[in-house]
Amino acid sequence: MARLRGGTAKGAARPARTRWVLVTAVAAVPVLLLIWLVTAVVRSSAPDDTLGRGPREVSCARALEFGGARLPAGAHDTRCTVQSFQDTLYRAEFRMPRTAVRDWLERTYPQAGEPKTEFCAPESADLCLGVDFLAEAGDHAGEVPGAAHPGFGAAAARVSVEYEGPDTALVRFEAFDM
């Protein structure tokens, strides 16, 4: 038999190395099963909207409440979603009487000032309003008179309005935390 450095036979080193690979693989199986089990338990006990899945439908009352608002009278064609992982984003889209938009915004966010008519996103918006609830001095969420309840959760809300005709406005509402 041919000898290698160190005085061992050529085939002698292989079985020892193969044995360690086999021992390592067998030891890794319980660890991987434990990781899988912990992941399964966490996924089954977590609420659906905290797992980083795509947007899912929610009630519009819940979506608007998160941003301190309520669905206005006369709202129709409502569609609301939530998407969440580390941050939470609620979106609401609905139509309402055009003549009631400014009144609804003023009642909901009286401290926000006048809605803007320029530099809105999306560009097709005729009117927009942005409200930040958090400030360096603390959480101002409870100070919003239009809030469904104090401390409603959002750090900011954005509203954009597109006038679809003389009677109807399409409202897009977003509320999110940071």
Side-chain angles (χ1 to χ4, degrees), residues 42-67:
V42 167
R43 281 188 156 284
S44 67
S45 64
D48 286 343
D49 61 348
T50 61
L51 296 176
R53 297 182 182 137
R56 66 179 182 86
E57 289 193 34
V58 294
S59 74
C60 286
R62 181 176 174 187
L64 287 146
E65 179 179 287
F66 186 74

Side-chain angles (χ1 to χ4, degrees), residues 66 86-88 131-134 153-158 175-178:
F66 186 74
Q86 292 177 341
D87 301 333
T88 302
V131 184
D132 295 320
F133 304 119
L134 301 178
R158 305 288 179 255
F176 49 91
D177 58 13
M178 309 254 181

Side-chain angles (χ1 to χ4, degrees), residues 10-35:
K10 193 176 191 178
R14 253 196 201 191
R17 193 177 314 143
T18 304
R19 194 173 321 130
W20 279 109
V21 169
L22 184 62
V23 168
T24 303
V26 169
V29 168
V31 172
L32 292 173
L33 284 173
L34 181 62
I35 290 170

